[in-house]
Amino acid sequence: MIVVSDTSALTSLLQIGRVELLAQVYSEVFIPEAVRNELLREHPTLPGPVRCQPVANQAEVRRLLQELDAGEAEAIVLAKELKADDLLMDETLGRRVATREGVHVIGLLGVLLEAKGRGLIPSVRQLTEELEHKARFRVSSSVKEIIFRAAGEP
């Protein structure tokens, strides 16, 4: 399975030291150049499992830049070009545009839910709390409630 990631999810996983989860859930993890550039502003190197891939269709990126930032626009186009199984993105507007563009979107909590289902982590709730405290990750209470219930963690 292939995932293309936006910046915020990778940054959050890096801040809690759990970026390897992406490589455990997905066979390949890609980011576009704009996301690489954003990550390198905060982190000295790219995480091991992440591969940077340039976007070919720059006209489509320019079209999406009317609504989104460069990282989100390139991530959506790259997901389409690679026929990725998932686009990892949590920002509401980016998710809405990606869905409109026919890209399947998953959020960071969705990845944690998948990781728990595969026995890679013991608790979605515990990692969500770490993300909130260490990475300033924000998600609504209603979304957390749905995810925790799906994880069997009421």
Side-chain angles (χ1 to χ4, degrees), residues 78-151:
L78 184 60
K80 290 169 73 173
E81 290 177 354
L82 296 177
K83 296 177 178 38
D85 298 284
D86 292 323
L87 169 63
L88 177 53
M89 184 177 289
D90 284 305
E91 294 79 15
T92 303
L93 178 59
R95 291 172 66 94
R96 191 174 305 131
V97 171
T99 300
R100 181 192 74 208
E101 296 290 317
V103 176
H104 184 266
V105 182
I106 191 168
L108 188 49
L109 294 185
V111 172
L112 296 183
L113 186 60
E114 179 67 26
K116 182 174 182 187
R118 294 183 186 194
L120 301 172
I121 61 172
S123 170
V124 173
R125 183 182 298 273
Q126 177 188 349
L127 282 183
T128 300
E129 289 172 1
E130 275 188 63
L131 286 164
E132 289 176 323
H133 292 41
K134 294 180 183 175
R136 289 181 260 160
F137 180 79
R138 298 289 170 251
V139 65
S140 72
S141 297
S142 59
V143 169
K144 286 191 292 189
E145 184 178 314
I146 292 166
I147 294 293
F148 295 159
R149 197 171 332 138

Side-chain angles (χ1 to χ4, degrees), residues 47-87:
V50 175
R51 294 175 33 203
C52 182
Q53 175 78 30
V55 174
N57 190 340
Q58 291 299 315
E60 193 165 354
V61 171
R62 284 190 297 278
R63 178 178 63 81
L64 293 177
L65 283 172
Q66 295 175 30
E67 302 174 83
L68 304 170
D69 71 28
E72 292 167 335
E74 285 192 11
I76 290 169
V77 176
L78 184 60
K80 290 169 73 173
E81 290 177 354
L82 296 177
K83 296 177 178 38
D85 298 284
D86 292 323
L87 169 63

